[in-house]
Amino acid sequence: MEKSKIKKILLILGFLIIVFLLGILIFNTFFKKTTKTPTPEEGKTSTGEGLPISEEGPGIIYDEFGNPIIEESPDITDQKGPSNPQLDTTARPTASGGITQTTALTSGTALKPVLGSDGRSVQFYNQSDGKFYMVNENGDLIALSSKVFHNVQDIDWSPDKNKVVLEYPDKTKIVYDFTTNKQVTLPKHWEDFSFSPDSSKLINKSLGTDPDNRWLIISNSDGSGSKAIEFIGTNDKDVISSWSPNNQTVAMYTKGLDFNRQEVFFVGQNNENFKSTIVEGWGFESQWSEGGDKLLYSVYSPKDELKPKLWIVDAQGDNIGSSRTNLQIETWAEKCTFANNNQIYCAVPKSLPEGAGMFPELALKTSDDLYRINIQTGQKELVAIPDGYFNISNLMVDSEEKNIFFTDYSTGQIYKIKL
């Protein structure tokens, strides 16, 4: 009996030791930062299949253990809002950091609204009647065209707001010009459109059935004069059409490095070899600054409980990759908008569940507050708490910063808050 008991005890101890060692192995594999310092040769990364080969941009400094030293903006304002909002529950007519009156400007679902060319109104597609409208701050509706487009699924606007690419569920794509009232049908295998800064050209992915026939192509805005600029092959899902406002680059390509990082490559029109930049996470989505010299982006990583975090980085010429800064805000880049080249407004969820970056649907029922962030200093300020329960998208600020416009996920309506 004594030997049997000793044997059982040893077996239990052995099992516990194995579990402990497995735990250490899993931690080191998935969560622990690497301690290897990259060598100059390792800094060069080939994307393969025709996409750019770039060196990581400047601004990455490593400590003595080989871990990247990242700039972080000071956490000046508590992201969750006022410490005791119950002290004043009155909705004020203009934004002053508390609950603010929020006015509906439309009654139906607005698809892909954008700030109009006048900088004061909002242009959108009305899914109820299939027409395009402009709505001003008073809620006055003006039809942009008498033409009806039924069942449009997605929209890409030109920078001058005079043209639009319409996509339908059957993959039909057309370009419509509001100034000439003309439309042109594009090939169905063209996807992921972005207009040039002057609205005269398009960049998109031409995705043939055969991976050997998949390219990034540039064409005139009516689809004519197309030419292939980069072979993308099987990397099509990692390529993003995104024409920069300064006309320097037309697309980006992301490549995974490890569980915590990706590398972002910038694609030009003439096979340029631009520097790349490292992003600390996955789920990369971005917005260009008005001048095209900076890139606002969001990513998630295990270090942040898989919640989205906002970052800013230089993205022009030799400065690509410099001044990479964590803005210490938990939201997505698509929930932000540039008011000018140095200041953004963002809709920030009051709270986010763990894993929301990887599974955005977890955050569809959250309510958002509005923040103003200086991307140079990192200073952030609570601007307004909307008077109601809003999951905000398509955030816009007029050219004079007098009004904020946005749509609500649950209703699809356009709303306004006075600044």
Side-chain angles (χ1 to χ4, degrees), residues 69-76 79 280 296-299 301 303-304 307-313 323-331 373-380:
I69 299 173
I70 307 299
E71 295 182 43
E72 293 191 353
S73 66
D75 193 9
I76 295 172
Q79 184 172 322
E280 300 289 321
L296 176 75
Y297 67 90
S298 58
V299 288
S301 77
K303 294 181 293 184
D304 299 313
K307 297 178 182 181
K309 275 289 187 74
L310 275 185
W311 296 69
I312 193 76
V313 67
S323 304
R324 185 160 53 105
T325 305
N326 185 344
L327 294 175
Q328 296 296 320
I329 287 285
E330 291 180 357
T331 193
I373 306 164
N374 185 310
I375 60 174
Q376 284 190 316
T377 65
Q379 182 174 359
K380 36 196 172 288

Side-chain angles (χ1 to χ4, degrees), residues 203-274:
I203 178 75
N204 64 269
K205 294 182 280 191
S206 177
L207 302 181
T209 304
D210 186 344
D212 290 334
N213 191 26
R214 295 177 183 173
W215 296 80
L216 268 175
I217 65 170
I218 289 178
S219 69
N220 295 321
S221 62
D222 62 1
S224 64
S226 62
K227 67 173 183 177
I229 63 166
E230 283 286 352
F231 175 65
I232 59 179
T234 57
N235 296 308
D236 58 280
K237 295 187 184 301
D238 300 315
V239 175
I240 305 164
S241 298
S242 181
W243 209 311
S244 64
N246 59 10
N247 209 37
Q248 177 180 262
T249 61
V250 295
M252 288 175 276
Y253 166 66
T254 61
K255 180 180 180 181
L257 295 179
D258 52 39
F259 287 106
N260 292 315
R261 300 180 303 157
Q262 289 179 285
E263 187 168 10
V264 179
F265 299 86
F266 296 87
V267 182
Q269 301 179 53
N270 303 298
N271 200 32
E272 298 95 334
N273 186 28
F274 293 111

Side-chain angles (χ1 to χ4, degrees), residues 125-133 147-152:
Y125 170 79
N126 188 341
Q127 290 187 305
S128 300
D129 62 11
K131 290 184 178 181
F132 283 91
Y133 293 92
K147 193 165 181 62
V148 178
F149 303 91
H150 294 292
N151 302 317
V152 172

